[in-house]
């Protein structure tokens, strides 16, 4: 894993934008994996600025988001579809039909996971994947204990993840209990991964990911086995 150490969130977003733009520009039909959360927000703003200035285009891009809550409509401000539309898709030249998130409203969630995973395979897997990390080492909604071989699947969210995410909801009981997430096996098939880690509260988990045992108890530790991962971080290591 390559580590790019930066001073603050602004520099992190700048570097992340650079790598993202490089992936978008070098491929004829870039297949990009996207993350939500606070960490990539500024990167999406910068990508929007670059696209509006004509420096980069999403015209030929196909995107797959890592995850989505079960049971929230696209119009719900807490759904990840809403987040992506608001932060990126509505402001750039991407073709909406090429943007994919797992459908958390599908009647049969298991079947939806299979359809989503198969669509990624059909596109030839992700060329470039943006990841964030949770305090417990989750990537996507792959919580500790998730199999390294997992494909896109339905997860029951841990209390710690629900509590952390409840800051976006009116109250903890409004946070969904289930979500759909790309699996760790699916993630590991991405040709290039960019993991963004912002803020010293993530120092402890980042140290485990970098130097600890590769274990399903720390889902992101699997990235030690990935041949082309860059970690951009402002964490004091
Ligand atoms: P954050 O979320 O960017 O809001 O810290 C990361 C995650 O939980 O995957």
């Amino acid at each position: 894993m390559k580590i790019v150490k930066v001073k603050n969130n602004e520099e992190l977003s700048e570097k992340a934008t650079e790598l993202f733009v490089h992936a978008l520009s070098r491929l004829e039909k870039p297949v990009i994996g996207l993350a939500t959360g606070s960490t990539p927000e500024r990167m999406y703003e910068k990508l929007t600025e670059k696209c509006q200035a004509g420096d980069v285009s999403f015209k030929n891009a196909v995107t797959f988001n890592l995850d989505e809550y079960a049971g929230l409509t696209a119009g719900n401000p807490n759904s990840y579809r809403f987040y992506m539309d608001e932060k990126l898709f509505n402001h750039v030249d991407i073709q909406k039909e090429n943007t994919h998130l797992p459908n958390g409203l599908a009647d049969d969630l298991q079947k939806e996971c299979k359809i989503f995973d198969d669509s990624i395979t059909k596109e030839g897997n992700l060329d470039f994947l943006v990841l964030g990390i949770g305090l417990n080492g989750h990537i996507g909604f792959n919580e500790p204990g998730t199999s390294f071989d997992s494909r896109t699947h339905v997860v029951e969210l841990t209390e710690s993840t629900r509590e952390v995410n409840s800051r976006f909801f009116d109250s903890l009981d409004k946070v969904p209990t289930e979500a759909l997430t790309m699996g760790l096996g699916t993630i590991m098939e991405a040709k290039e991964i960019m993991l963004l880690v912002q803020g010293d509260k993530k120092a402890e988990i980042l140290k485990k990911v970098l130097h600890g045992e590769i274990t399903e108890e720390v889902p992101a530790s699997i990235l030690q086995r990935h041949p082309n991962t860059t970690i951009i971080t402002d964490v004091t290591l």
Side-chain angles (χ1 to χ4, degrees):
M1 290 184 291
K2 187 173 156 211
I3 301 176
V4 177
K5 183 75 181 70
V6 293
K7 286 198 293 291
N8 50 37
N9 187 43
E10 188 59 22
E11 207 187 316
L12 179 145
S13 308
E14 189 67 48
K15 291 274 178 218
T17 304
E18 254 173 54
L19 281 195
F20 197 124
V21 166
H22 182 67
L24 264 187
S25 316
R26 76 172 187 271
L27 297 161
E28 224 166 275
K29 186 187 177 193
V31 183
I32 309 281
L34 297 172
T36 52
S38 329
T39 313
E41 280 189 17
R42 182 75 184 120
M43 175 187 76
Y44 290 136
E45 274 176 23
K46 285 178 177 289
L47 285 167
T48 298
E49 284 163 19
K50 283 200 177 291
C51 186
Q52 291 180 353
D55 294 338
V56 70
S57 171
F58 287 79
K59 207 168 69 245
N60 301 320
V62 178
T63 65
F64 290 92
N65 265 78
L66 278 167
D67 45 16
E68 177 61 287
Y69 288 114
L72 301 188
T73 59
N76 185 316
N78 284 308
S79 74
Y80 289 163
R81 164 54 77 180
F82 190 93
Y83 172 109
M84 288 312 304
D85 284 349
E86 283 277 295
K87 311 254 180 243
L88 186 70
F89 299 154
N90 287 347
H91 317 294
V92 296
D93 59 349
I94 199 158
Q95 302 182 53
K96 271 283 177 79
E97 62 273 23
N98 289 342
T99 66
H100 307 276
L101 284 91
N103 176 10
L105 293 172
D107 288 337
D108 185 337
L109 293 179
Q110 311 289 345
K111 194 166 150 204
E112 168 61 19
C113 289
K114 170 98 174 75
I115 293 170
F116 186 81
D117 211 275
D118 287 349
S119 325
I120 298 173
T121 314
K122 220 165 83 201
E123 292 291 348
N125 294 329
L126 302 170
D127 292 306
F128 181 79
L129 167 62
V130 181
L131 288 181
I133 185 171
L135 290 173
N136 62 5
H138 75 204
I139 43 180
F141 274 130
N142 293 287
E143 303 285 17
T146 306
S147 161
F148 283 156
D149 296 327
S150 53
R151 310 301 307 178
T152 302
H153 61 288
V154 180
V155 290
E156 199 171 315
L157 298 175
T158 61
E159 277 317 293
S160 87
T161 294
R162 292 185 67 239
E163 266 161 37
V164 171
N165 289 7
S166 67
R167 67 190 192 277
F168 300 112
F169 291 79
D170 292 338
S171 60
L172 179 60
D173 61 302
K174 295 261 167 56
V175 184
T177 54
E178 280 187 334
L180 290 75
T181 183
M182 254 184 228
L184 294 168
T186 321
I187 287 172
M188 285 296 282
E189 282 165 7
K191 289 160 206 155
E192 181 178 358
I193 292 178
M194 175 174 79
L195 172 66
L196 306 178
V197 189
Q198 203 269 316
D200 275 343
K201 61 184 183 302
K202 298 207 175 144
E204 202 182 317
I205 190 64
L206 180 57
K207 281 178 196 156
K208 281 193 194 161
V209 168
L210 290 174
H211 310 296
E213 189 194 342
I214 301 177
T215 163
E216 289 176 352
E217 289 315 306
V218 182
S221 65
I222 186 70
L223 296 174
Q224 290 183 28
R225 294 202 186 126
H226 190 272
N228 189 10
T229 287
T230 303
I231 300 178
I232 306 179
T233 186
D234 65 356
V235 168
T236 318
L237 286 168

